[in-house]
Amino acid sequence: KAGVTQTPRYLIKTRGQQVTLSCSPISGHRSVSWYQQTPGQGLQFLFEYFSETQRNKGNFPGRFSGRQFSNSRSEMNVSTLELGDSALYLCASMGGNYEQYFGPGTRLTVT
Amino acid sequence: AQKVTQAQTEISVVEKEDVTLDCVYETRDTTYYLFWYKQPPSGELVFLIRRNSFDEQNEISGRYSWNFQKSTSSFNFTITASQVVDSAVYFCALSEAGYSSASKIIFGSGTRLSIRP
């Protein structure tokens, strides 16, 4: 069974731009969650999508948004990028056993 | 509010030594899940274990063992006969029980484990 895949793996953007990250969950998993990891704040939950609907949300500003498609693939969008958005963005998929499996992450650098 | 504390920021031991990573959690929920993840230098979080709050039985998997004590709100992780490949950052984490809320995981700050040859 293939694991969680994320694209792109690395990204460099300029302040003020927007970015879209993609995540493909493990086959059969309907829940996809996104996390931000920074040296200062650690790992923080962004949001979760289940069956194309946002089911849970963390404490991030509205510049962070996402969506999920009918095949469970998910995208995360960050608009008006700030320097502080530089981070490793991790996607996780969850099956019926309540275990979340993470992808390799997308490392975003904002200059 | 939920909180996970990993007081040990960094640990360095010589190969073959046993090492225990501490984890203390706070939650008002009566049912919850506890997790341990490993993050090697590649960056990917590797799932190690999930424990239900109602199951206090300790678990052993090869060189890994976990000690869950609800009375002290602790979920410690021991690596026996450590190996260089065990070098990584280890995260303890917590979530509410229930499929609709189990996805929102609260992570500790992590413990960086270095195993010296």
Side-chain angles (χ1 to χ4, degrees):
Chain A
K1 218 176 194 182
V4 179
T5 59
Q6 291 187 244
T7 57
R9 293 292 312 278
Y10 302 91
L11 208 47
I12 299 175
K13 289 286 188 178
T14 304
R15 256 185 312 177
Q17 288 186 316
Q18 76 164 18
V19 67
T20 299
L21 312 181
S22 180
C23 171
S24 292
I26 292 171
S27 178
H29 286 191
R30 295 162 64 190
S31 165
V32 175
S33 297
W34 289 89
Y35 291 81
Q36 181 196 64
Q37 185 176 25
T38 60
Q41 300 299 316
L43 276 156
Q44 294 184 285
F45 175 80
L46 280 155
F47 35 64
E48 180 221 5
Y49 283 84
F50 180 83
S51 292
E52 302 179 62
T53 301
Q54 188 180 86
R55 188 165 65 172
N56 286 295
K57 190 177 187 307
N59 297 321
F60 278 80
R63 300 186 297 107
F64 292 82
S65 63
R67 59 176 175 168
Q68 186 180 35
F69 302 94
S70 58
N71 61 358
S72 293
R73 188 177 71 85
S74 176
E75 287 182 348
M76 190 193 95
N77 185 274
V78 188
S79 62
T80 320
L81 283 166
E82 301 176 359
L83 293 178
D85 297 333
S86 294
L88 179 66
Y89 290 89
L90 292 160
C91 162
S93 78
M94 185 173 74
N97 60 2
Y98 305 94
E99 293 171 1
Q100 285 204 49
Y101 296 92
F102 284 78
T106 293
R107 186 164 296 281
L108 171 66
T109 301
V110 182
T111 62
Chain B
Q2 296 180 320
K3 185 179 179 183
V4 177
T5 301
Q6 295 180 257
Q8 302 154 309
T9 305
E10 291 192 40
I11 299 176
S12 180
V13 301
V14 176
E15 198 172 20
K16 296 183 184 175
E17 283 187 19
D18 298 347
V19 58
T20 295
L21 309 182
D22 298 333
C23 173
V24 174
Y25 62 92
E26 296 174 31
T27 181
R28 293 179 184 171
D29 298 320
T30 53
T31 56
Y32 47 89
Y33 297 127
L34 293 165
F35 306 84
W36 275 95
Y37 283 88
K38 172 183 179 180
Q39 188 174 43
S42 61
E44 185 168 345
L45 278 171
V46 178
F47 171 85
L48 295 177
I49 189 171
R50 173 180 65 84
R51 172 64 70 206
N52 297 334
S53 55
F54 52 81
D55 181 5
E56 287 195 67
Q57 205 168 14
N58 291 332
E59 181 154 341
I60 298 174
S61 177
R63 297 184 296 107
Y64 296 171
S65 63
W66 292 268
N67 182 277
F68 174 31
Q69 293 197 339
K70 213 168 181 177
S71 60
T72 56
S73 296
S74 66
F75 186 41
N76 296 337
F77 173 32
T78 297
I79 301 175
T80 303
S82 60
Q83 299 176 3
V84 173
V85 292
D86 295 326
S87 297
V89 180
Y90 289 86
F91 292 94
C92 179
L94 166 72
S95 77
E96 295 177 25
Y99 191 67
S100 63
S101 50
S103 60
K104 185 175 180 179
I105 297 179
I106 306 301
F107 284 88
S109 55
T111 297
R112 182 177 299 278
L113 177 64
S114 298
I115 309 298
R116 307 189 305 274

